[in-house]
């Protein structure tokens, strides 16, 4: 049985000049996205977060099984739990578990075990990957899970930036505590990443080291 296909009706074609202009505008916009570690506690409407997560949910993925789940957290008590447990893990990491090379590479960024932004920022978004999906009560294997969730997370970060918010990716290891805190402690899901989102604090800074991006000649070949 062949599944139904619908005509493509929402594609918009631009002239070559418009394409170049739009590509340049997007590059200039995304260049302004920085990982920040000082957030304001100013409230951000839930509707903004909802729309950004909907954008993430449009990401391409294996067999369209959409192997992700997002938990958007604004509850102060839950954020405090996450900070407490994340900092305990980070303290061990910075005490030596991360290894000398990794810790040396982090020094230009000025990171440490203290993560106050996990409480200060108005929103934390925990991203989970799913091994299986349910369709009409039937369990189905998911495919290219890591790749699919990675693309969706990229969409989410771009959407949050485009909406006018600052972001930070946070990946404490292990992240299993997130499963329990978020009520997703099961054998089908695993935490993938924690996204911190909100307005930058008026004293927010960006490490100079983080502004140095490789040129096109180093990241791309045209054959």
């Amino acid at each position: 049985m062949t599944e139904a296909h619908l005509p493509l009706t929402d594609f918009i074609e631009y002239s070559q000049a418009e394409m170049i202009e739009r590509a340049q505008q997007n590059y200039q916009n995304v260049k302004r996205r920085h990982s920040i570690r000082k957030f304001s506690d100013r409230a951000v409407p839930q509707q903004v977060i909802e729309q950004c997560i909907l954008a993430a949910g449009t990401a391409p993925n294996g067999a369209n099984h959409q192997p992700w789940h997002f938990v958007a957290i604004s509850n102060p008590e839950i954020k405090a739990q996450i900070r407490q447990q994340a900092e305990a893990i980070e303290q061990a990491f910075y005490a030596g578990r991360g290894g000398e090379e990794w810790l040396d590479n982090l020094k230009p960024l000025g990171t440490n075990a203290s993560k106050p932004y996990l409480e200060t920022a108005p929103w934390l978004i925990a991203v989970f990957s799913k091994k299986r999906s349910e369709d009409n009560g039937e369990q189905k294997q998911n495919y290219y899970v890591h790749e699919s969730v990675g693309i969706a997370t990229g969409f989410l970060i771009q959407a949050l930036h485009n909406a006018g918010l600052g972001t930070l990716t946070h990946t404490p290891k292990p992240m299993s505590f997130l499963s329990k805190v978020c009520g997703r402690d099961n054998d089908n899901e695993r935490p993938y990443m924690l996204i911190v989102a909100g307005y930058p604090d008026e004293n927010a800074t960006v490490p100079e080291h983080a502004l140095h991006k490789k040129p096109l000649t180093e990241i791309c070949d045209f054959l």
Side-chain angles (χ1 to χ4, degrees), residues 130-176:
K130 303 176 68 172
K131 294 185 291 184
R132 301 177 303 279
S133 292
E134 187 171 309
D135 183 17
N136 294 323
E138 180 184 354
Q139 291 285 323
K140 292 187 174 181
Q141 178 71 37
N142 289 334
Y143 308 98
Y144 300 106
V145 174
H146 187 80
E147 295 86 349
S148 300
V149 179
I151 297 171
T153 302
F155 273 38
L156 175 59
I157 293 170
Q158 173 86 335
L160 291 165
H161 169 68
N162 193 57
L165 297 175
T167 57
L168 175 68
T169 57
H170 184 56
T171 52
K173 297 202 181 295
M175 286 193 288
S176 54

Side-chain angles (χ1 to χ4, degrees), residues 10-49:
D10 53 2
F11 177 80
I12 301 175
E13 182 173 332
Y14 303 99
S15 69
Q16 290 190 5
E18 287 178 300
M19 290 170 66
I20 294 172
E21 181 180 3
R22 290 174 66 87
Q24 291 173 336
Q25 288 177 348
N26 181 67
Y27 173 54
Q28 294 303 320
N29 178 46
V30 79
K31 274 177 64 178
R32 296 186 300 102
R33 194 219 67 82
H34 306 292
S35 294
I36 60 171
R37 291 172 175 81
K38 291 184 179 180
F39 285 83
S40 166
D41 62 0
R42 291 169 57 193
V44 172
Q46 180 173 320
Q47 186 177 5
V48 174
I49 305 302

Side-chain angles (χ1 to χ4, degrees), residues 36-189:
I36 60 171
R37 291 172 175 81
K38 291 184 179 180
F39 285 83
S40 166
D41 62 0
R42 291 169 57 193
V44 172
Q46 180 173 320
Q47 186 177 5
V48 174
I49 305 302
E50 290 174 352
Q51 292 300 308
C52 292
I53 291 174
L54 283 171
T58 69
N61 61 95
N64 197 35
H65 284 190
Q66 302 161 60
W68 46 64
H69 189 87
F70 303 91
V71 179
I73 304 157
S74 62
N75 184 298
E77 294 182 0
I78 298 177
K79 290 193 295 181
Q81 289 181 47
I82 290 175
R83 178 186 178 183
Q84 180 183 24
Q85 297 196 48
E87 285 187 339
I89 293 170
E90 295 289 284
Q91 285 167 5
F93 175 85
Y94 283 95
R97 185 173 56 83
E100 183 177 352
E101 182 178 0
W102 193 349
L103 294 174
D104 282 344
N105 287 331
L106 288 174
K107 286 180 180 178
L109 300 176
T111 60
N112 55 53
S114 178
K115 311 295 179 185
Y117 46 77
L118 294 176
E119 284 191 89
T120 307
W123 290 97
L124 306 179
I125 304 174
V127 184
F128 291 84
S129 64
K130 303 176 68 172
K131 294 185 291 184
R132 301 177 303 279
S133 292
E134 187 171 309
D135 183 17
N136 294 323
E138 180 184 354
Q139 291 285 323
K140 292 187 174 181
Q141 178 71 37
N142 289 334
Y143 308 98
Y144 300 106
V145 174
H146 187 80
E147 295 86 349
S148 300
V149 179
I151 297 171
T153 302
F155 273 38
L156 175 59
I157 293 170
Q158 173 86 335
L160 291 165
H161 169 68
N162 193 57
L165 297 175
T167 57
L168 175 68
T169 57
H170 184 56
T171 52
K173 297 202 181 295
M175 286 193 288
S176 54
F177 72 91
L178 277 177
S179 299
K180 296 179 180 178
V181 172
C182 295
R184 314 296 301 181
D185 191 12
N186 57 71
D187 64 358
N188 186 41
E189 301 181 25

